[in-house]
Amino acid sequence: MQMETLRLQPDDEGIEKAAALLREGKLVAIPTETVYGLAANALDGEAVSHIFTAKGRPQDNPLIVHIAAFEEWESLVREIPEVAVRLAEAYWPGPLTMILPHKPCIPKQVSAGLPTVAVRLPSHPIARRVIAAAGVPLAAPSANRSGIPSPTTAAHVLADMEGRIDAVLDGGPCEVGVESTVVDLSSVPSCPPRLLRPGGITLPMLEKVAGHVEVDEAVTHALKKDAVAASPGMKYKHYAPKAQVVLVKGSPEAYAAFVNTQAEKNITGLMALCFDGEEKRLHVPAVTYGGRYDGAGQAQRVFDALRHLDELNAQLVYAACPSSKGVGLAVYNRLLRAAAFEVIELDG
Ligand code: TXA
Ligand code: MG
């Protein structure tokens, strides 16, 4: 399945070309404020099926449908509960995805056969212009090969997808850097909203508008064997570079002491993923991913940092654990999966 992958610029011509390809049932990677998405016409099951092939994505993992204007929601979902309207008013356009029961127009390739669909109105101006120009909602998962870190630049997309997709629209680096917050509203009001994946719209932000929000166990814990995932995406290995990643919880001093003790063992390809400035005291090569107390900065850089570790041929990476407050919860959730839930707790 080799093809030429066009590079499109985010100007009128590039956007029109992207829209035309999408209308023809082709695959185009587009920038969003979170990560790059691999888009296809969400109403065309055949086009959507090619996303799964290009990514190597398991068939039972449903996709998010992206819209360009609030009203488009109504044609996709059966009913919009009041709390969903309030969340949309507060955080759309933006990095929030809401799950609701879908109408029959949603192909099974999008919903993976579930009775629900995930919908999001992105804030990225280029994404919205492409969706509007295509004239159809766009199904788009992150534009990476399945299982590895999500792409936050067009170069990341090409590294994974060159020759496998029709085009990539280069809109520069993504602002948020981690995927959207996913909240399940499909059982409201009998059950409270449920956070399935943390992202740029934080838990306190959700609760400010929606009242109590349940946090799905899978946000911070490995799924138990044979458990049914509320969000199928959470049961797969995710965001993982080639290197083995181990998350290390502790103060800057304890982390540095731990890494430097490991360094004495002469382990091949031992590296650190740490906070800005903290690399200076480490005796191993390090990649940084933002300030220790800067969750937004960490979110922006974490996927690029994981990809960079692969370029440096890291074999074993001790990653300094972020705080799980605010947007930090999203960074923690991604790193926990990158580490396949392997965590070392220092400081007793
Ligand atoms: O920021 C984002 O959300 C990016 C950009 C491109 O918009 N997209 C993205 O898509 O992250 P993806 O496919 O990588 O992640 C979608 C997540 C998966 O964990 C999937 O299982 C979950 O949303 N999901 C989608 N539809 C669902 C549904 N009906 N019920 C439960 N979970 C669903
Ligand atoms: Mg993804």
Side-chain angles (χ1 to χ4, degrees):
M1 204 190 59
Q2 277 292 316
M3 59 178 89
E4 189 200 347
T5 300
L6 295 175
R7 273 90 161 150
L8 304 175
Q9 293 309 305
D11 50 20
D12 290 353
E13 194 188 328
I15 288 167
E16 202 28 70
K17 179 70 183 169
L21 288 167
L22 289 161
R23 281 193 299 270
E24 285 166 27
K26 303 273 169 65
L27 302 186
V28 182
I30 60 169
T32 83
E33 72 278 21
T34 56
V35 300
Y36 275 72
L38 181 55
N41 176 356
L43 304 179
D44 178 348
E46 165 82 24
V48 170
S49 72
H50 296 142
I51 292 178
F52 288 84
T53 319
K55 276 184 63 95
R57 182 178 175 105
Q59 301 284 341
D60 65 348
N61 194 2
L63 305 178
I64 296 173
V65 177
H66 298 69
I67 56 177
F70 285 86
E71 319 75 76
E72 291 168 31
W73 210 12
E74 289 153 23
S75 63
L76 305 173
V77 303
R78 277 203 272 128
E79 231 176 281
I80 304 178
E82 195 235 319
V83 62
V85 174
R86 279 188 278 126
L87 284 168
E89 280 170 0
Y91 301 123
W92 274 4
L96 175 65
T97 295
M98 291 191 253
I99 294 177
L100 287 167
H102 66 70
K103 285 191 171 162
C105 63
I106 299 295
K108 63 178 188 307
Q109 290 87 346
V110 170
S111 64
L114 295 174
T116 54
V117 67
V119 184
R120 158 162 135 78
L121 174 55
S123 63
H124 197 294
I126 307 298
R128 292 176 67 192
R129 284 184 64 193
V130 174
I131 304 166
V136 288
L138 299 180
S142 49
N144 52 288
R145 293 291 283 267
S146 205
I148 73 168
S150 297
T152 54
T153 65
H156 292 165
V157 174
L158 285 167
D160 285 16
M161 293 295 177
E162 172 99 71
R164 304 177 70 84
I165 63 174
D166 298 282
V168 56
L169 184 57
D170 188 347
C174 300
E175 201 182 312
V176 180
V178 291
E179 304 87 339
S180 62
T181 303
V182 178
V183 59
D184 185 357
L185 301 169
S186 62
S187 305
V188 167
S190 47
C191 299
R194 176 173 282 267
L195 177 67
L196 301 185
R197 182 177 71 183
I201 303 299
T202 63
L203 184 58
M205 289 167 79
L206 292 175
E207 292 199 312
K208 195 171 151 219
V209 174
H212 175 64
V213 174
E214 296 278 339
V215 178
D216 199 271
E217 250 224 341
V219 168
T220 48
H221 293 88
L223 265 188
K224 293 188 188 75
K225 206 169 158 273
D226 302 329
V228 177
S231 180
M234 286 191 288
K235 71 183 176 201
Y236 298 108
K237 181 178 155 213
H238 241 117
Y239 315 119
K242 294 190 194 88
Q244 181 192 356
V245 177
V246 178
L247 210 46
V248 182
K249 280 189 189 173
S251 64
E253 295 73 28
Y255 171 72
F258 172 80
V259 170
N260 290 339
T261 306
Q262 300 303 311
E264 284 163 21
K265 299 180 185 165
N266 289 321
I267 304 164
T268 321
L270 177 63
M271 292 191 193
L273 174 63
C274 68
F275 300 115
D276 291 347
E278 297 182 10
E279 73 280 13
K280 293 192 193 90
R281 57 170 107 181
L282 302 179
H283 305 159
V284 299
V287 171
T288 61
Y289 75 106
R292 182 172 275 260
Y293 304 103
D294 176 13
Q298 294 162 16
Q300 225 171 41
R301 285 171 49 194
V302 68
F303 286 139
D304 183 66
L306 288 170
R307 283 175 177 260
H308 191 48
L309 285 161
D310 271 349
E311 284 161 16
L312 297 174
N313 271 323
Q315 305 293 312
L316 173 61
V317 176
Y318 287 113
C321 189
S323 148
S324 53
K325 297 250 159 51
V327 73
L329 182 62
V331 180
Y332 175 62
N333 167 277
R334 304 312 189 271
L335 280 176
L336 207 49
R337 281 168 172 73
F341 295 91
E342 206 182 329
V343 181
I344 293 176
E345 307 218 16
L346 306 173
D347 302 331

